[in-house]
Amino acid sequence: MTIKIVLADDHVLMRQGLSQVLNADPGIDVIGECGDGVELIELVIRLKPDVVVMDISMPRMSGLVAIDKLLAQRPDCKILVLSMHNELEYIEAMQDAGAKGYVLKESSSDVLIDAIRSIYHGRTAFIAAHQRNDTGKPARVSPVAALTRREREVFFLVAAGNTSKQIAELLTMSLKTAENHRSNIYKKLNVSSSAELIRLAGKAGLLE
């Protein structure tokens, strides 16, 4: 059977190149493409793909939020994250969010296609989790690894400059809950403001 794919990446050339590579495989059919998280959710609901291949950093809605909302709409949705980030905290965050696989953008097309097939057949494919960084040492674990799944979502949204009100809207929670998460994150990371949190994220290499 042909594996139906929806692609989400805000870089048009990257998305078009991926689409050509995947469509060249006789067992894969890219049935939809988009450039942001909001459009991704609409496409998935309408087209019902077998596998979603998506980037983490997208306009209007981050990858973490998009995964959360996709799985709320379609719990059986199989999601493969294709990212430039090899830090362990990113991989763990996507796995905790419900993604079935994680592949680096620098990987070969064969690795990507194998990961898609693995996910389609009910397996997982966290390829980047076993790779090492340029120093030859395992990817480091940052303080963010101590946060819960929801706290990580809030962390990345705070680091991106969102207010508590915006975070509450994006994650479909009350303002009080968003502020409580924010307070817990500050305590765990030993920071007292969003400015300090952003500086910490920058030092940890979590800001693009």
Side-chain angles (χ1 to χ4, degrees):
M1 294 179 63
T2 301
I3 304 173
K4 296 181 292 183
I5 301 289
V6 162
L7 280 176
D9 194 302
D10 62 323
H11 294 93
V12 178
L13 290 178
M14 168 67 75
R15 193 170 70 241
Q16 291 176 342
L18 284 172
S19 181
Q20 291 178 358
V21 167
L22 295 178
N23 278 325
D25 189 292
I28 294 176
D29 181 18
V30 177
I31 60 174
E33 302 175 29
C34 61
D36 67 69
V38 174
E39 190 179 357
L40 171 62
I41 293 172
E42 295 171 352
L43 270 182
V44 170
I45 292 173
R46 178 163 55 88
L47 300 178
K48 297 179 174 59
D50 297 312
V51 177
V52 174
V53 178
M54 60 178 285
D55 194 4
I56 294 175
S57 305
M58 294 186 291
R60 295 206 289 170
M61 185 181 294
S62 71
L64 272 173
V65 178
I67 291 174
D68 192 56
K69 291 187 178 295
L70 279 175
L71 294 177
Q73 294 283 342
R74 285 194 58 201
D76 61 335
C77 188
K78 296 175 180 177
I79 300 170
L80 172 64
V81 174
L82 185 62
S83 174
M84 62 179 286
H85 300 290
N86 195 26
E87 289 82 10
L88 185 59
E89 53 267 24
Y90 278 96
I91 301 164
E92 290 179 340
M94 295 302 117
Q95 188 171 19
D96 290 346
K100 298 300 182 184
Y102 191 106
V103 175
L104 292 176
K105 286 186 175 181
E106 65 189 43
S107 301
S108 68
S109 58
D110 289 341
V111 169
L112 175 60
I113 290 171
D114 285 346
I116 289 172
R117 287 177 177 148
S118 292
I119 290 173
Y120 176 72
H121 290 293
R123 300 186 293 272
T124 57
F126 288 90
I127 309 300
H130 305 294
Q131 297 185 356
R132 293 172 178 266
N133 57 29
D134 293 337
T135 67
K137 298 178 182 179
R140 56 186 169 73
V141 179
S142 80
V144 182
L147 303 180
T148 66
R149 169 190 163 186
R150 183 59 92 185
E151 287 171 348
R152 288 178 186 177
E153 293 175 349
V154 174
F155 171 89
F156 283 112
L157 290 173
V158 172
N162 291 280
T163 64
S164 293
K165 183 179 179 181
Q166 290 170 324
I167 292 170
E169 293 173 352
L170 287 168
L171 298 181
T172 319
M173 61 175 61
S174 69
L175 177 58
K176 183 177 180 181
T177 299
E179 290 177 339
N180 286 339
H181 281 308
R182 194 168 188 144
S183 177
N184 290 337
I185 292 168
Y186 285 1
K187 290 177 181 178
K188 287 185 177 182
L189 301 184
N190 195 29
V191 298
S192 58
S193 67
S194 59
E196 289 185 14
L197 185 145
I198 291 171
R199 283 197 294 271
L200 182 149
K203 289 179 179 179
L206 301 178
L207 297 180
E208 294 187 46

